[in-house]
Amino acid sequence: MSAPFRTAGLAALSLSLAACSTLAGGGPSAHTIRKTPEVEIVAVTPEQAAAAQAAAAADRERALAEALGRLSAAPERAPFRFAPGDVIDVTMWSYAALPGGGAPFGGGPGATPLGSFTVADDGAVLLPYAGRLALAGYTLEQAQHAIAQRYASQRVLQKPSATVRLAASPQNDILVTGAIGHPSRVAWSPGGLTLAQAITQSLGDGNATLGAGDLSATRAAVRVSVVRGDAAPVEVPIAAAFEQRIALRPGDRVIVRKAPMVEVTVLGSTRKNGVLGFARQPVLAEAVAEANGLDNNLANDHAVFVLRRRAAAKPVLYEFAWKRGDGLIAADQFPLETGDVVYVAEAPIVSIQKVVGLLFQVTLPVQVLR
């Protein structure tokens, strides 16, 4: 080799060796992670994973029981009072018919339906033969007494008594909104209305929101929140909303959401990195499978980690011996939580391969020049 070519080759080799210290890595190695003092490291066994799975299931059951308890608690509502937009059916009871209504009743009081009336913007209703009567702010009993008194004072009926039935009330309607295509109002009745009934009446065929087939097979979970007055929303899974008989109250708001129940971040030597969403709580093996598995060319199959942050405590780094049977069993049982980071360490040989590749790329032009 001539001196110029030899000099060029040595220069290229020097550059490549210098580059070894500046190569971009695919993330920290398993050895580096294990030496991190800022985290508590736990080597997960199948027994620990099974215990974590049981604890997660108990937490879900406890959260559901608490939500159902809040929704079934004894109501603390003020008596209903009429407001503009309310619709009432009025029936009068008396010993004499209305003028023009035919012969008087004989032997006792009789009923005369007056019809349906809407409380106007000024809070009054317009009654036949009795004129306008303000009802806004009245309870049902007060409204019945006021109507009877008005007819008595007008001497239209003898010893009248009024029966008032609430036919419709915007303030009692159940508003169903969110991922249902368009907001919907469902009328509440004294006979009661369940959460399942309100959702069913609002969804129509439900395909736009719930989709077809098994809900658990989708990545977006359907969840339902009930907002009651000024209290915090109470959230239940869609399955519980349909399976449990959850009674709604007048004026409740129902919000349907379609979003992942659990989101985890997958990094390192998997075939797909990123934030993955699940409709139900996944186990580690499912998250790795959703990331298209380990990259055979990069992954250190002895080192799969889950980083979990804890309030007022060190983060925990759960380690799984992926290549061994007990590691796979543990990964198939260990439940992930929102915010978890799944990391697959890079195999040590990868760094050497990167250096060799760089050397080949740098020295090839030198060989061509020979």
Side-chain angles (χ1 to χ4, degrees):
M1 180 186 295
S2 63
F5 290 140
R6 185 181 301 111
T7 303
L10 290 173
L13 180 59
S14 299
L15 287 172
S16 65
L17 292 174
C20 291
S21 61
T22 60
L23 280 173
S29 65
H31 175 76
T32 302
I33 291 177
R34 294 188 184 102
K35 296 298 183 181
T36 303
E38 291 82 9
V39 298
E40 175 187 344
I41 299 178
V42 176
V44 182
T45 64
E47 293 75 19
Q48 290 172 319
Q53 189 177 63
D59 287 343
R60 291 193 298 271
E61 292 179 2
R62 183 164 48 250
L64 178 58
E66 179 182 349
L68 295 177
R70 290 175 59 189
L71 291 175
S72 63
E76 297 179 1
R77 294 185 78 243
F80 173 83
R81 295 183 181 276
F82 287 103
D86 291 340
V87 180
I88 59 175
D89 293 334
V90 180
T91 300
M92 297 303 300
W93 294 80
S94 175
Y95 285 96
L98 288 170
F105 301 117
T112 302
L114 296 187
S116 296
F117 306 92
T118 301
V119 180
D121 291 341
D122 62 357
V125 294
L126 181 60
L127 299 172
Y129 305 106
R132 300 186 68 80
L133 178 63
L135 293 182
Y138 282 20
T139 65
L140 185 63
E141 293 77 11
Q142 289 171 337
Q144 292 178 148
H145 179 73
I147 292 173
Q149 287 291 99
R150 171 61 62 88
Y151 277 99
S153 66
Q154 298 289 340
R155 299 183 183 276
V156 176
L157 298 173
Q158 297 181 14
K159 297 181 180 180
S161 176
T163 299
V164 176
R165 185 183 72 86
L166 182 65
S169 176
Q171 60 179 315
N172 276 356
D173 285 351
I174 307 298
L175 174 64
V176 183
T177 187
I180 61 170
H182 57 83
S184 176
R185 284 187 174 273
V186 180
W188 185 87
S189 69
L193 181 73
T194 67
L195 181 57
Q197 290 171 330
I199 296 174
T200 301
Q201 293 182 40
S202 301
L203 289 179
D205 62 9
N207 287 334
T209 301
L210 304 182
D214 184 7
L215 289 178
S216 64
T218 64
R219 295 184 182 178
V222 181
R223 293 172 287 177
V224 179
S225 295
V226 177
V227 183
R228 183 164 290 166
D230 297 327
V234 180
E235 184 176 281
V236 296
I238 188 67
F242 284 133
E243 293 169 359
Q244 303 285 335
R245 188 172 180 82
I246 302 173
L248 295 177
R249 297 181 193 163
D252 280 353
R253 288 156 287 163
V254 178
I255 304 173
V256 180
R257 293 185 175 89
K258 193 174 183 180
M261 175 183 173
V262 175
E263 289 186 316
V264 299
T265 303
V266 179
L267 299 173
S269 302
T270 58
R271 291 189 175 90
K272 180 175 71 174
N273 282 188
V275 179
L276 305 180
F278 299 87
R280 55 181 176 80
Q281 189 169 26
V283 295
L284 174 58
E286 290 174 319
V288 174
E290 188 67 23
N292 294 335
L294 305 185
D295 190 327
N296 294 331
N297 297 321
L298 300 176
N300 181 351
D301 56 6
H302 293 275
V304 177
F305 301 93
V306 174
L307 176 64
R308 179 172 297 168
R309 294 173 178 82
R310 298 181 299 178
K314 275 187 176 183
V316 181
L317 190 67
Y318 297 100
E319 182 177 359
F320 297 82
W322 195 263
K323 195 173 183 179
R324 298 200 303 269
D326 57 351
L328 288 176
I329 294 173
D332 192 46
Q333 294 179 300
F334 187 80
L336 298 179
E337 300 176 359
T338 290
D340 283 353
V341 177
V342 177
Y343 179 74
V344 180
E346 189 178 78
I349 190 64
V350 174
S351 298
I352 300 174
Q353 291 172 342
K354 287 182 178 180
V355 173
V356 173
L358 181 63
L359 284 172
F360 180 77
Q361 294 174 18
V362 173
T363 57
L364 180 59
V366 177
Q367 297 298 325
V368 172
L369 291 174
R370 291 185 59 182

